[in-house]
Amino acid sequence: MFRVNDNFCKLPSAYLFSQVAEKVRGYIEAHPGVEVIRMGIGDVTRPICDAAVQAMHEAVDDEADAARFHGYGPEQGYEFLRAAIAENDYRARGVEISESEIFIGDGAKSDTGKIGDILWPGSRVAVTDPVYPVYVDTNVMGGRGGDLCTDGYWSGIEYLRCDFDNGFVPSLPMGQPDVIYLCYPNNPTGTVLTRAQLAEWVDYARHNGSLILFDAAYEAYITQDDVPHSIYEIDGAREVAIEFRSFSKTAGFTGLRCGYTVVPKELKGHDGAGREVSLNALWNRRQSTKFNGASYIVQRGAAAIYTDAGKEQVRTTIDYYLRNAGLLYDGVRNAGLEAVGGKNSPYVWLRTPDGMTSWEFFDRLLDRCHVVGTPGIGFGPAGEGCFRLTGFNTYENTQKAIERLGKL
Amino acid sequence: MFRVNDNFCKLPSAYLFSQVAEKVRGYIEAHPGVEVIRMGIGDVTRPICDAAVQAMHEAVDDEADAARFHGYGPEQGYEFLRAAIAENDYRARGVEISESEIFIGDGAKSDTGKIGDILWPGSRVAVTDPVYPVYVDTNVMGGRGGDLCTDGYWSGIEYLRCDFDNGFVPSLPMGQPDVIYLCYPNNPTGTVLTRAQLAEWVDYARHNGSLILFDAAYEAYITQDDVPHSIYEIDGAREVAIEFRSFSKTAGFTGLRCGYTVVPKELKGHDGAGREVSLNALWNRRQSTKFNGASYIVQRGAAAIYTDAGKEQVRTTIDYYLRNAGLLYDGVRNAGLEAVGGKNSPYVWLRTPDGMTSWEFFDRLLDRCHVVGTPGIGFGPAGEGCFRLTGFNTYENTQKAIERLGKL
């Protein structure tokens, strides 16, 4: 009988958000009529902005007309979208990224998972702790995890602790990792790195020969001036970093599926013989062989958020979520809990009261307040005793959740 | 400096269809005003059917309305689409496939590429020759290719020759492969396997413990009664086969991006310790961790092709392409060339005249007839001296191409 990739078998059976969803389903079935407020999974709730909606209607009409029909598009994404990104997300911030360095994909989760295809299976990986579980799980699948230890850590991965004690600023790695995942504004903690702090990482990567995988999915939520929107705002980053962006949190595209990945031309790794290899060329090859482009309709929608009207509409929605996140942060603090985030991020990360575990707090919050959050332990061992709430619900529900929390 | 997956470096630099596109671009630039008829890449040209267009407009409106907004969908695809597939593509043909065995993806190219994630990196692979290049290239990327030999074959892959001499019926493998790729109706040759012929492969896989990856992307083009639409029409196939389907060729979704993969519950591989592992569970884990579902809008469009109106509209388009393919086949035969396909497939596969190589014939066809086809050599060494034409252009252009071919 043929053999499977049994690295998969090392993974604990369920993915965090599926586990949360299952618990909530069970609770609602057992308590019909209860109004549950969901602040768990980082999914948006506001509708797609009008500019993108109109653009997608037009794109659907294109597909209905033989003369305007769009079949296979470029695997790298349409020029109209890549150009809008280069201009608005980069050039407007003083960063020069060429269109051929931008690859449109079906979302940052997909791309941060797939990027492992072009990396050596034996690469040593470092992640912050807590961490977005996809980085860890996809590396375990790719054979880079080592073994799962009883303390919840994978033996092959270096964890860089971020907690209330170190102000959520991870120390530089000790183990000379080949690949370092950084996500800022951070999921799950909602914390950020300043320009000076991120520059230390770029310097480290340049000296150590590491690759930084920089996940900037929450970039649109940044409100502080000294927080970089792109890692390429840092000198030298083009030689060491791949950046992932998403339209999911920026423009509510979680159900539409679009994001992009930037792979600068200067970024080089080496092959087994020590020869330099362009990562832009490898990723281009990966995408042309194993991907057929994001949906034309959705790319048209994404391009529309860069119009004047689109920018304004998207900004309104992000401000709405940020107001919620601020409200949550204040509410949690007023309830006497220690917390971070909520300022440059839709996420608030809190320390559970009375030394409760994350899942104990999850159960209590669901049972007493009918509020769903995400247990910190789901993001790694350093998340134990912590909990994530999101500003993605409505303003009214956020207020309600805060009231209920106050009574806890 | 960090190391890349240097299996990528073994691949010749360009992907077949990019190479073709580049040659055509060059020719047009050098010969402005020339009317080139494209019958190379297998892309459709007819617009999306009205039922799907209406459904997508409604889905766009859903996304514009907070009450009907759809954010993250199930990674496995929406129930409404999985149910329509189970009912129409399987139950209606007497095949029982449950919804939890169906995984909606962004296309068959993506899924046939990604499936390698759940297979052992050391798996021995067999492909027919000629073959859709994605099967070979993705296995090379995954470390299963061995080395590229001077004859164009990869040392780690077993090639099963299909040519005019054996009537395009591949012999069973000699090398006990773990994984066998079969694509029927075949891309590139347009040939088929009858139910009895496919049953031999299922029996072989059962006895040898092999996995069959069955690509049925062109299923909708089948016109003969004794040709199976699904491998699951064969007894025992649920224990040995994964089936890939696409809405690209069925309903013109090449630019919209939607397909699906069927992984039956009975299908088991083994881990390093010899324990049985469910492939359905592995693929589910892969998709929930590295994918976030296909676009909601596109899934709504796909579901609409299973309505009565949708079925009729889709049928009309496929009949249109089949008429073109039949015309092409007759035209090529009348021009004195040997050919197959064009009957259960949009593809016609011909032997080049006068012992020309595939690329020589490509150049001559482009230069003298201004018709673009695909050189057979691009599909593997057995494709040398062969050429693929597609019925995906308009009827008028197909007629024109045939006229020009007649004068060659």
Side-chain angles (χ1 to χ4, degrees):
Chain A
M1 199 194 273
F2 67 93
R3 184 167 171 189
V4 302
N5 176 359
D6 43 18
N7 291 307
F8 273 70
C9 305
K10 295 179 173 184
L11 285 166
S13 64
Y15 180 62
L16 173 65
F17 296 114
S18 325
Q19 247 173 309
V20 168
E22 222 160 281
K23 277 214 174 211
V24 175
R25 246 196 315 273
Y27 186 84
I28 291 175
E29 271 172 33
H31 303 81
V34 153
E35 187 210 24
V36 168
I37 300 178
R38 291 161 198 272
M39 298 178 146
I41 189 164
D43 199 0
V44 298
T45 51
R46 304 294 304 158
I48 299 297
C49 72
D50 192 53
V53 165
Q54 293 317 317
M56 289 194 292
H57 275 307
E58 281 168 36
V60 171
D61 285 334
D62 287 347
E63 294 297 58
D65 179 343
R68 284 148 59 202
F69 178 75
H70 284 68
Y72 289 124
E75 287 103 348
Q76 300 82 359
Y78 278 100
E79 194 60 22
F80 63 75
L81 180 53
R82 299 169 95 188
I85 289 166
E87 181 57 38
N88 293 281
D89 287 345
Y90 294 101
R91 212 161 293 133
R93 293 196 181 278
V95 175
E96 198 51 49
I97 294 289
S98 79
E99 286 144 40
S100 57
E101 295 173 320
I102 296 168
F103 296 84
I104 311 299
D106 67 328
K109 182 183 174 190
S110 293
D111 279 6
T112 53
K114 292 167 175 178
I115 199 75
D117 283 8
I118 65 168
L119 303 176
W120 182 241
S123 305
R124 292 157 305 175
V125 171
V127 298
T128 58
D129 177 30
V131 66
Y132 177 48
V134 166
Y135 310 153
V136 172
D137 292 357
T138 56
N139 276 293
V140 172
M141 290 173 176
R144 303 185 188 97
D147 294 303
L148 183 57
C149 309
T150 50
D151 58 6
Y153 290 109
W154 290 91
S155 63
I157 294 178
E158 181 173 0
Y159 290 81
L160 309 166
R161 200 171 174 89
C162 299
D163 57 21
F164 286 94
D165 297 332
N166 68 7
F168 294 91
V169 179
S171 303
L172 293 171
M174 306 293 286
Q176 300 239 315
D178 300 298
V179 181
I180 302 164
Y181 288 81
L182 293 178
C183 172
Y184 287 98
N186 187 252
N187 178 12
T189 67
T191 58
V192 290
L193 292 183
T194 63
R195 207 165 272 111
Q197 286 167 332
L198 186 57
E200 285 184 41
W201 285 88
V202 170
D203 286 347
Y204 171 85
R206 294 181 69 177
H207 287 112
N208 191 57
S210 307
L211 170 67
I212 295 177
L213 298 177
F214 192 76
D215 185 346
Y218 297 91
E219 165 275 333
Y221 293 81
I222 294 170
T223 54
Q224 271 175 250
D225 280 345
D226 59 344
V227 174
H229 288 252
S230 164
I231 195 167
Y232 305 118
E233 292 180 35
I234 312 295
D235 279 346
R238 289 177 58 88
E239 291 159 35
V240 295
I242 291 175
E243 181 163 289
F244 302 94
R245 294 276 191 108
S246 166
F247 293 104
S248 288
K249 311 301 155 98
T250 307
F253 276 38
T254 52
L256 301 180
R257 312 308 315 139
C258 201
Y260 65 89
T261 294
V262 179
V263 190
K265 294 279 172 68
E266 291 92 328
L267 181 56
K268 303 275 167 67
H270 72 83
D271 67 8
R275 281 177 298 242
E276 281 197 346
V277 181
S278 156
L279 267 75
N280 182 284
L282 290 193
W283 185 245
N284 188 46
R285 184 60 194 255
R286 193 264 169 228
Q287 291 298 80
S288 11
T289 306
K290 294 176 80 167
F291 185 57
N292 238 332
S295 180
Y296 167 69
I297 295 170
V298 179
Q299 289 192 63
R300 279 285 178 208
I305 73 161
Y306 294 106
T307 59
D308 288 342
K311 280 180 197 170
E312 200 186 310
Q313 292 160 7
V314 157
R315 192 67 248 163
T316 304
T317 298
I318 289 167
D319 288 343
Y320 179 90
Y321 292 137
L322 277 173
R323 185 168 67 141
N324 291 349
L327 192 70
L328 261 184
Y329 177 81
D330 292 341
V332 162
R333 297 283 288 150
N334 290 339
L337 298 173
E338 210 173 348
V340 290
K343 191 175 181 178
N344 299 289
S345 162
Y347 296 131
V348 172
W349 183 253
L350 59 91
R351 206 199 282 264
T352 59
D354 312 324
M356 294 173 82
T357 69
S358 312
W359 278 111
E360 281 168 1
F361 189 69
F362 175 92
D363 289 334
R364 185 183 292 185
L365 207 64
L366 179 57
D367 195 43
R368 303 235 188 124
C369 305
H370 309 144
V371 169
V372 180
T374 310
I377 184 73
F379 299 99
E384 182 55 288
C386 295
F387 203 77
R388 192 189 75 175
L389 291 171
T390 90
F392 285 132
N393 215 307
T394 61
Y395 183 69
E396 295 70 26
N397 278 342
T398 307
Q399 280 183 312
K400 253 188 235 173
I402 287 298
E403 276 167 36
R404 294 183 192 173
L405 261 164
K407 290 180 196 150
L408 188 64
Chain B
M1 196 194 274
F2 66 93
R3 183 168 171 188
V4 303
N5 176 0
D6 43 18
N7 291 308
F8 274 70
C9 305
K10 295 179 172 183
L11 285 166
S13 63
Y15 180 59
L16 172 64
F17 296 116
S18 324
Q19 247 172 309
V20 168
E22 222 160 281
K23 277 215 173 209
V24 175
R25 246 195 317 271
Y27 186 83
I28 291 175
E29 271 170 34
H31 304 81
V34 153
E35 186 210 24
V36 168
I37 300 178
R38 290 164 199 269
M39 298 178 147
I41 189 165
D43 198 359
V44 298
T45 51
R46 304 294 302 158
I48 299 296
C49 72
D50 192 54
V53 165
Q54 293 317 316
M56 290 194 292
H57 275 307
E58 281 167 35
V60 171
D61 285 334
D62 286 347
E63 294 297 58
D65 180 343
R68 284 148 57 202
F69 178 75
H70 284 68
Y72 288 126
E75 286 104 349
Q76 301 81 0
Y78 278 101
E79 193 61 21
F80 63 77
L81 180 53
R82 299 169 95 189
I85 290 166
E87 180 56 39
N88 294 281
D89 286 346
Y90 294 101
R91 212 161 294 136
R93 293 196 181 277
V95 176
E96 196 51 48
I97 294 289
S98 79
E99 286 145 37
S100 59
E101 295 173 321
I102 297 167
F103 296 83
I104 312 300
D106 67 328
K109 182 182 174 190
S110 293
D111 279 4
T112 54
K114 292 165 172 179
I115 199 77
D117 283 8
I118 65 167
L119 303 177
W120 182 242
S123 305
R124 292 158 303 173
V125 170
V127 298
T128 58
D129 177 31
V131 66
Y132 178 49
V134 166
Y135 309 153
V136 171
D137 291 358
T138 57
N139 276 293
V140 172
M141 289 172 174
R144 302 186 188 98
D147 294 304
L148 184 57
C149 309
T150 50
D151 57 8
Y153 289 109
W154 290 91
S155 64
I157 292 178
E158 180 172 0
Y159 291 81
L160 309 166
R161 199 170 175 90
C162 299
D163 56 23
F164 286 95
D165 297 330
N166 67 9
F168 295 90
V169 179
S171 302
L172 292 170
M174 304 295 284
Q176 300 239 317
D178 299 300
V179 181
I180 302 164
Y181 288 81
L182 294 178
C183 172
Y184 287 98
N186 186 253
N187 177 12
T189 65
T191 57
V192 290
L193 291 184
T194 62
R195 208 164 271 114
Q197 286 168 331
L198 186 56
E200 284 183 43
W201 286 87
V202 171
D203 285 346
Y204 171 85
R206 294 181 70 177
H207 286 113
N208 192 55
S210 308
L211 169 67
I212 295 177
L213 299 176
F214 192 76
D215 185 345
Y218 297 90
E219 165 276 331
Y221 293 81
I222 294 170
T223 53
Q224 270 175 250
D225 280 346
D226 58 343
V227 175
H229 288 251
S230 164
I231 195 168
Y232 305 119
E233 292 180 37
I234 313 295
D235 279 345
R238 290 177 58 88
E239 292 159 36
V240 295
I242 290 175
E243 180 162 291
F244 302 93
R245 292 277 190 109
S246 166
F247 293 103
S248 289
K249 311 301 156 94
T250 306
F253 276 38
T254 51
L256 301 180
R257 311 308 314 139
C258 201
Y260 64 90
T261 293
V262 179
V263 190
K265 295 278 172 69
E266 289 91 329
L267 182 56
K268 304 276 166 65
H270 73 82
D271 66 9
R275 280 176 299 241
E276 281 197 347
V277 181
S278 156
L279 267 76
N280 181 285
L282 290 192
W283 185 245
N284 189 46
R285 185 61 195 255
R286 192 264 168 230
Q287 291 298 82
S288 9
T289 306
K290 296 177 79 168
F291 185 58
N292 238 332
S295 180
Y296 167 70
I297 295 170
V298 179
Q299 289 191 63
R300 279 284 178 209
I305 73 160
Y306 293 106
T307 59
D308 288 343
K311 281 180 197 170
E312 199 186 310
Q313 292 160 6
V314 158
R315 192 67 248 165
T316 304
T317 299
I318 289 168
D319 288 343
Y320 179 92
Y321 292 137
L322 277 173
R323 185 168 67 143
N324 290 348
L327 192 70
L328 261 184
Y329 177 81
D330 292 341
V332 163
R333 297 284 288 150
N334 290 338
L337 298 173
E338 209 174 348
V340 291
K343 189 173 181 181
N344 299 288
S345 161
Y347 296 132
V348 172
W349 183 253
L350 58 91
R351 206 200 285 263
T352 60
D354 311 325
M356 293 173 83
T357 68
S358 312
W359 278 111
E360 280 169 1
F361 189 70
F362 175 92
D363 290 334
R364 183 182 293 184
L365 206 62
L366 179 57
D367 195 44
R368 303 235 186 125
C369 306
H370 310 143
V371 169
V372 179
T374 310
I377 183 74
F379 299 98
E384 182 56 290
C386 296
F387 203 76
R388 192 189 74 175
L389 291 171
T390 90
F392 285 132
N393 215 305
T394 60
Y395 183 69
E396 294 70 26
N397 278 342
T398 308
Q399 279 184 312
K400 253 188 234 173
I402 287 298
E403 276 166 36
R404 293 183 192 173
L405 261 164
K407 290 178 195 150
L408 188 65

